Amino acid sequence: MNKVIYRYLALIVLSVLCAGFSANAQQDEPQKISPYMLFTYLKNTESQRILQVRMTNITQTGEIPLDGLNIRFLNGDTVLGEAVTGKTGDAEYILKEGYTPYTGDDGSWPFAAEFDGDSLVDATAGELSITDINLEMTLSEEEGKKIVTLTATFPSAEGPVPVADEEISVYVPRMFSLLPVGTGTLDAGGRVQIPFPDDIPVTRKET
């Protein structure tokens, strides 16, 4: 009888030890990073259409860039290409000149960015729906005040259509950042005027 009880107690101790070893093994496994993806679209002054991704790990002390991650860019179901994030966590893909994006039922371009995940970072994805517009900017001076006038339209079969009721901002580029000038809302004609502050120096190019 004593042998049976001893054997039973030994099995209990062995089970507890195994559970402890299993718990320690799970604690030793590194926890995967759950990344934050910022997915944006940019059309620059040279009419290049650029898909941009920034991958970071948000911690209690701030955002840490995630480099070396392979990002896949898509338009609808079409894979456009891939790019790897750099030291700042940024990756970008420039749409090829002349490329006509797939258009959704609402007339917009559906884009997606995907990261499949790896041994250290979880998979994630982002989506954008873009309506391409043409933006014209003119600078003028009225009664001694500098004015920035913006006109936004998007193409259609019937000709340019004004972009109305959209908020738009003006910035002055600096070496490492963008300096805000002002923000306004496009009217029914796709037009807005934003005063240019007198305390911001303007560099004029000689022609």
Side-chain angles (χ1 to χ4, degrees), residues 78-91:
T78 301
V79 177
L80 299 172
E82 298 181 345
V84 178
T85 58
K87 292 182 179 180
T88 59
D90 296 315

Side-chain angles (χ1 to χ4, degrees), residues 142-158:
E142 300 176 7
E143 299 180 355
K145 295 184 179 181
K146 302 170 186 174
I147 301 293
V148 180
T149 301
L150 301 168
T151 305
T153 60
F154 65 88
S156 72
E158 292 76 26

